[in-house]
Amino acid sequence: MSSSLAKANPAPTVLLCGAGSRGRTVYGNFILRRPDLARVVAIAEPNPEQRQSLALEHQIEPQFVFSDWRE
């Protein structure tokens, strides 16, 4: 993708709801491999250990890490 096209079409931002099989393994890993296609900007996960681990993987600031999708 050319740099001018990338600036015109920035990667969409994503909230990962869940750090389980799909959230972390499928979507999260795909986004880590292809940051040109999407970027994780927030995480919602009820399990504190999984939530923190996923936040670290995607370098999410604490104010965008939630224990519930309704937050």
Side-chain angles (χ1 to χ4, degrees), residues 1 6-7 10 12 18-19 21 23 25 30 40 47 53 57 65-66 69:
M1 181 181 299
K7 289 178 185 172
S21 177
T25 307
F30 176 79
V40 176
N47 180 296
S53 176
E57 285 177 22
V65 178
F66 306 100
W69 64 269

Side-chain angles (χ1 to χ4, degrees), residues 47-63:
N47 180 296
E49 291 84 17
Q50 289 181 337
R51 182 173 59 240
Q52 182 61 26
S53 176
L54 191 60
L56 288 172
E57 285 177 22
H58 289 273
Q59 301 176 0
I60 306 301
E61 296 293 325
Q63 67 267 30

Side-chain angles (χ1 to χ4, degrees), residues 7-65:
K7 289 178 185 172
N9 296 310
T13 58
V14 175
L15 159 66
L16 283 179
C17 289
S21 177
R22 279 181 279 171
R24 167 177 260 132
T25 307
V26 178
Y27 306 125
N29 284 341
F30 176 79
I31 291 169
L32 287 172
R33 288 191 314 270
R34 294 298 310 266
D36 57 312
L37 297 180
R39 183 171 55 98
V40 176
V41 297
I43 294 168
E45 165 60 47
N47 180 296
E49 291 84 17
Q50 289 181 337
R51 182 173 59 240
Q52 182 61 26
S53 176
L54 191 60
L56 288 172
E57 285 177 22
H58 289 273
Q59 301 176 0
I60 306 301
E61 296 293 325
Q63 67 267 30
F64 301 113
V65 178

